[in-house]
């Protein structure tokens, strides 16, 4: 069996099923450079075993110990597509010496510089990709961008998804929405749900707050999941139900069942996979210089499984004229999109193609 060495900051809970899926076909050892030290994320850690790798990091410039990855049992190394990883450059430039296959795994674009880089991709990433044997890109859109530059390179789209997506997409609550709303004392007939960490201002929670203030509080309720340093005070809104950080799957199931729509004004990422899997259409603003969106924004198709707003006034108008029939159809389409594109089996199978 081929043995692979994987480098990651740490293994988050949403990535656990993917790593385990690779392990079923290939023996994989995951090395984490935040395992015993600094960890910049509040994401829950997975229980999958991993190994610590010594490193020095200064302002996103990372130098890690290459020697554990150069052991004889590893024929393939899966490293991060990050031009700040100096050791990765070293391993790419010395492939003729160590003779290991190198796969680079990443978004393939800077979220903060997205509008610029989709027209003119990063020169440093270009160089890294040119040196790699294969590349794993998160979504089809960015894969196609790089295939135009390197048509003969093995570049695949993983269709980035989450652990447990199959359970969620097939989930049906044994209590009705009305029963749950009575139990949780939710009064409004239509409910939005927000489920993300409040760890940066790019999520544009200011727009969320403005939507709460400008929509009818008797008609629209807001279920909030998430904590973090930039979380606003929602206590002044009688139609906001704040549950903080939620890791209890039963509670999350209930909250998503009660919700009609998922709302996150900016920086939508893997959270939309969860929302779509629960059958909740995603409401957000179109990517712009003022509203940054992560690569999973590509999964959102306007008026199919999502509503994408040009500006605040359009958001208010479209929400107010949205009918129950339209919400139901958008929700059906949301689950259908996940079943057709974002199942974990597909993500694992795409990765395995490059390991054979």
């Amino acid at each position: 069996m081929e043995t692979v060495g994987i480098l990651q900051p740490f293994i988050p809970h949403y990535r656990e099923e993917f790593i385990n899926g690779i392990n079923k076909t290939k023996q994989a050892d995951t090395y984490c450079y935040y395992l015993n030290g600094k960890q910049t994320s509040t994401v829950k850690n997975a229980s999958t075993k991993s190994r610590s790798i010594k490193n020095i990091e200064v302002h996103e410039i990372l130098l890690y110990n290459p020697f554990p990855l150069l052991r004889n049992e590893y024929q393939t190394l899966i490293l991060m597509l990050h031009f700040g990883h100096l050791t990765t450059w070293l391993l790419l430039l010395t492939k003729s010496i160590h003779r290991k296959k190198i796969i680079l795994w990443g978004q393939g674009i800077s979220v903060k510089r997205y509008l610029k880089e989709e027209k003119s991709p990063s020169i440093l990433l270009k160089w890294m990709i040119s040196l790699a044997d294969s590349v794993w890109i998160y979504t089809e859109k960015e894969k196609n961008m790089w295939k135009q530059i390197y048509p003969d390179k093995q570049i695949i789209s993983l269709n980035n998804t989450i652990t447990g997506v199959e359970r969620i997409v097939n989930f049906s609550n044994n209590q009705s929405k009305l029963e749950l709303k009575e139990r949780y004392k939710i009064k409004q007939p239509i409910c939005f749900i927000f489920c993300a960490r409040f760890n940066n201002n790019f999520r544009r929670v200011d727009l969320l707050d403005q939507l709460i203030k400008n929509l009818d509080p008797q008609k629209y309720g807001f279920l909030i999941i998430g904590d973090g340093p930039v979380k606003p005070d929602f206590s002044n809104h009688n139609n906001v139900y704040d549950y903080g950080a939620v890791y209890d799957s039963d509670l999350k199931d209930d909250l998503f069942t009660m919700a009609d729509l998922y709302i996150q004004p900016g920086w939508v990422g893997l959270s939309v996979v969860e929302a779509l899997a629960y059958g909740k259409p995603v409401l957000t603003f179109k990517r712009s210089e003022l509203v940054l969106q992560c690569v999973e924004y590509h999964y959102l198709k306007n008026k199919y499984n999502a509503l994408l707003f040009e500006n605040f006034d359009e958001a208010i108008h479209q929400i107010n004229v949205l009918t129950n029939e339209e919400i139901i159809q958008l929700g059906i389409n949301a689950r259908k999109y996940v079943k057709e594109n974002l199942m974990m089996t597909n993500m694992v199978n795409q990765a395995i193609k490059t390991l054979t």
Side-chain angles (χ1 to χ4, degrees):
M1 179 183 288
E2 182 180 8
T3 304
V4 300
I6 303 174
L7 179 74
Q8 287 285 283
F10 64 104
I11 305 177
H13 65 96
Y14 58 78
R15 191 70 74 220
E16 185 169 25
E17 194 175 335
F18 177 63
I19 298 295
N20 291 340
I22 292 176
N23 259 319
K24 289 178 181 178
T25 305
K26 311 289 180 180
Q27 183 177 331
D29 295 333
T30 304
Y31 291 84
C32 298
Y33 52 87
Y34 288 160
L35 192 62
N36 294 325
K38 171 187 170 187
Q39 184 175 310
T40 59
S41 174
T42 56
V43 176
K44 183 181 178 183
N45 279 354
S47 57
T48 299
K49 290 183 180 179
S50 57
R51 307 180 183 193
S52 178
I53 193 165
K54 292 182 179 179
N55 67 91
I56 299 172
E57 184 183 31
V58 180
H59 301 302
E60 294 192 39
I61 304 299
L62 180 73
L63 187 67
Y64 57 86
N65 178 14
F67 293 107
L69 294 166
L70 292 173
R71 290 158 56 183
N72 290 335
E73 60 260 41
Y74 301 132
Q75 292 83 45
T76 301
L77 304 180
I78 302 169
L79 308 177
M80 297 176 68
L81 181 57
H82 190 312
F83 58 70
H85 288 193
L86 299 184
T87 308
T88 299
W89 283 106
L90 176 64
L91 291 169
L92 287 167
L93 291 167
T94 58
K95 277 201 313 168
S96 61
I97 300 172
H98 59 69
R99 299 185 180 280
K100 296 187 184 299
K101 177 179 178 180
I102 294 181
I103 298 172
L104 295 179
W105 174 15
Q107 295 182 151
I109 197 166
S110 166
V111 173
K112 294 179 182 179
R113 298 183 295 275
Y114 196 101
L115 295 177
K116 177 183 177 182
E117 290 191 8
E118 70 174 337
K119 296 175 182 176
S120 179
S122 163
I123 293 174
L124 291 173
L125 289 186
K126 272 188 188 179
W127 188 16
M128 288 192 93
I129 289 173
S130 72
L131 295 169
D133 295 286
S134 302
V135 185
W136 294 353
I137 299 294
Y138 280 13
T139 77
E140 196 75 19
K141 185 173 188 292
E142 293 74 36
K143 182 209 82 171
N144 291 339
M145 178 184 80
W146 286 110
K147 285 296 281 186
Q148 289 182 357
I149 300 169
Y150 298 113
D152 299 324
K153 179 77 67 175
Q154 187 180 49
I155 302 174
I156 60 105
S157 166
L158 292 176
N159 273 1
N160 199 34
T161 191
I162 58 172
T163 292
V165 67
E166 184 172 343
R167 183 199 74 83
I168 295 171
V169 83
N170 293 305
F171 173 75
S172 178
N173 208 306
N174 57 16
Q175 287 186 282
S176 71
K177 181 181 292 189
L178 289 177
E179 289 172 330
L180 288 168
K181 290 175 89 168
E182 183 176 345
R183 174 180 156 198
Y184 285 92
K185 297 181 172 55
I186 308 296
K187 301 174 183 177
Q188 290 74 18
I190 298 176
C191 286
F192 300 96
I193 189 166
F194 173 99
C195 182
R197 288 166 286 141
F198 293 91
N199 59 346
N200 66 57
N201 291 316
F202 300 125
R203 298 196 197 282
R204 296 303 308 268
V205 184
D206 58 317
L207 290 174
L208 176 63
D209 192 52
Q210 287 300 309
L211 286 168
I212 293 170
K213 290 176 180 176
N214 283 271
L215 290 168
D216 183 353
Q218 302 302 314
K219 182 178 181 181
Y220 299 105
F222 292 82
L223 312 177
I224 306 295
I225 298 175
D227 273 328
V230 298
K231 183 174 182 176
D233 182 6
F234 292 114
S235 61
N236 292 328
H237 302 294
N238 293 328
N239 61 331
V240 175
Y241 306 88
D242 186 358
Y243 293 89
V246 174
Y247 292 112
D248 181 336
S249 60
D250 290 337
L251 174 56
K252 186 175 278 191
D253 287 343
D254 287 350
L255 296 177
F256 271 95
T257 299
M258 288 187 288
D260 300 281
L261 302 148
Y262 181 87
I263 191 162
Q264 186 177 323
W267 204 258
V268 296
L270 275 174
S271 55
V272 301
V273 176
E274 182 176 55
L276 295 172
Y278 274 112
K280 307 305 164 183
V282 175
L283 276 58
T284 190
F285 287 79
K286 291 184 178 179
R287 180 186 275 130
S288 68
E289 291 182 359
L290 297 177
V291 179
L292 304 183
Q293 300 287 13
C294 302
V295 294
E296 291 81 9
Y297 175 77
H298 172 66
Y299 302 152
L300 306 181
K301 312 303 177 188
N302 193 29
K303 297 185 180 179
Y304 176 73
N305 61 9
L307 293 179
L308 308 179
F309 308 126
E310 290 279 359
N311 52 55
F312 185 81
D313 289 341
E314 183 187 80
I316 293 294
H317 172 71
Q318 285 206 38
I319 291 170
N320 279 326
V321 300
L322 193 61
T323 66
N324 286 331
E325 291 75 18
E326 288 170 329
I327 292 172
I328 291 169
Q329 187 59 55
L330 287 166
I332 291 170
N333 295 343
R335 269 194 159 134
K336 181 181 178 184
Y337 184 87
V338 172
K339 288 179 179 179
E340 293 178 351
N341 299 280
L342 300 177
M343 301 302 278
M344 183 57 72
T345 302
N346 175 69
M347 185 176 177
V348 172
N349 288 342
Q350 287 294 98
I352 295 299
K353 286 180 185 178
T354 65
L355 296 176
T356 55

